[in-house]
Amino acid sequence: MKKYVLFLFSLLTLLCIVTGCGGEKKADGPKVLKVGTEVTFPPFEFREKGSKEISGFDMDLIRAVGKKLDMQVEILDMDFEALIPAVKRGNLNLVIAGMTITPDRQKIVDMSEPYYESGLSLVVRKENTSLQKPEDLKGRAVAVQLGTTGEEKAKQLAGDKVRSFKTNEEVFQALKEKAVDAIILDKPVAQYYINKHHPDAVIVGDTFAKESYGIVTRRHGELTPKINKALAELKQSGEYDKIYEKWFGKEPAKK
Ligand code: GLN
């Protein structure tokens, strides 16, 4: 009998060691949401001068979503073209990076309901008056960010003279140094760069492709409906409008 009790005791001890015995019990508190972004896309995601912190409209929005889901948000800066593969592999839970909802991307990952209406625009040096509309780009050197809808558009319009860069800072630098004649970039971001850093550049013509941004999650994952629900609640409660006003000055048009 004694032997039997002893055996049972050692068995329990062993089990304890193997399972951690509940000693290191994880609190039911917030889990971590690994969020990928790319920080040369102001005012959606960028580092303010001298700050390590990543700020912007997307960042405030995703932190508000994290709160709704009772999850801690951890932001990771990566190359834009690496973001979707990282979600696919499960290295990131989601991506918020001013990423346009496209049918091609939706074949690989889930994208949330739209959270921002945007569009592509054409940027040239102020003194260059020969480029006024997308059709003028044929055969011209155009700078774009790698893996973006702007890159796709540029290839359609300009052909093989398109030059793709990892960051939008390099894209603007190329225009400044006259390595290219034009840039194709999302309008609010182009406007921000021009206002803050590149007064010699200008947006010409109308926004020539309308696009909507969505949050990227793993395809058919359980996170997509949760994100949509959180977004809907933030829009309902007015929190979304507050974040919008903080970065863009006025409320978005209600649809
Ligand atoms: N909206 C563009 C896209 O989805 C660019 C996004 C970005 O550069 N962060 O491709």
Side-chain angles (χ1 to χ4, degrees):
M1 182 67 186
K2 210 172 168 192
K3 244 187 189 169
Y4 180 70
V5 171
L6 208 70
F7 171 73
L8 210 68
F9 185 73
S10 357
L11 196 72
L12 273 174
T13 315
L14 194 73
L15 258 171
C16 246
I17 293 167
V18 173
T19 61
C21 209
E24 217 186 298
K25 219 186 215 164
K26 282 227 172 84
D28 284 340
K31 279 191 268 144
V32 176
L33 202 54
K34 278 193 171 180
V35 175
T37 197
E38 192 281 324
V39 297
T40 70
F41 205 68
F44 295 90
E45 37 270 335
F46 64 108
R47 284 202 178 91
E48 308 252 22
K49 231 185 169 165
S51 168
K52 282 221 167 100
E53 176 98 7
I54 303 174
S55 24
F57 174 78
D58 283 354
M59 300 300 101
D60 285 352
L61 188 61
I62 205 61
R63 285 182 183 120
V65 167
K67 259 196 201 141
K68 286 259 172 233
L69 303 184
D70 197 18
M71 290 175 94
Q72 212 179 305
V73 169
E74 184 191 341
I75 312 243
L76 299 151
D77 174 30
M78 299 170 66
D79 289 347
F80 186 78
E81 56 157 2
L83 291 169
I84 285 184
V87 170
K88 215 182 145 201
R89 278 197 306 272
N91 294 349
L92 293 174
N93 300 114
L94 63 86
V95 163
I96 186 160
M99 200 175 278
T100 304
I101 303 169
T102 68
D104 279 350
R105 287 174 177 158
Q106 283 170 315
K107 281 181 203 145
I108 309 168
V109 285
D110 278 349
M111 296 201 79
S112 71
E113 294 296 321
Y115 69 85
Y116 185 92
E117 300 305 322
S118 190
L120 294 176
S121 61
L122 176 60
V123 181
V124 297
R125 283 181 300 277
K126 257 184 190 159
E127 82 266 4
N128 184 350
T129 49
S130 69
L131 280 174
Q132 292 298 321
K133 46 188 190 309
E135 299 77 65
D136 299 338
L137 287 178
K138 215 172 165 148
R140 298 293 195 108
V142 183
V144 291
Q145 189 181 22
L146 200 60
T148 60
T149 49
E151 180 184 50
E152 221 173 285
K153 195 80 194 168
K155 283 183 175 162
Q156 287 165 14
L157 294 168
D160 54 10
K161 285 246 188 98
V162 173
R163 291 192 50 192
S164 306
F165 297 91
K166 282 201 171 169
T167 68
N168 286 309
E169 276 149 18
E170 293 165 286
V171 166
F172 270 91
Q173 199 56 32
L175 182 74
K176 195 176 181 174
E177 289 167 0
K178 306 193 175 171
V180 296
D181 299 314
I183 291 173
I184 294 183
L185 179 62
D186 304 50
K187 187 167 186 183
V189 180
Q191 197 62 67
Y192 187 98
Y193 272 101
I194 292 169
N195 292 348
K196 289 258 179 187
H197 311 292
H198 294 274
D200 301 340
V202 66
I203 293 176
V204 286
D206 295 332
T207 308
F208 58 84
K210 292 248 176 291
E211 303 190 341
S212 315
Y213 297 161
I215 298 172
V216 176
T217 46
R218 199 171 194 167
R219 200 154 146 80
H220 303 318
E222 54 170 29
L223 206 50
T224 326
K226 290 186 187 167
I227 298 283
N228 281 329
K229 186 164 170 268
L231 278 177
E233 285 171 7
L234 290 170
K235 283 188 180 167
Q236 192 84 43
S237 70
E239 259 181 276
Y240 173 92
D241 288 352
K242 266 202 202 128
I243 299 173
Y244 190 99
E245 274 174 56
K246 174 179 165 190
W247 293 102
F248 302 105
K250 55 180 177 6
E251 258 184 57
K254 291 257 158 39
K255 278 196 290 183

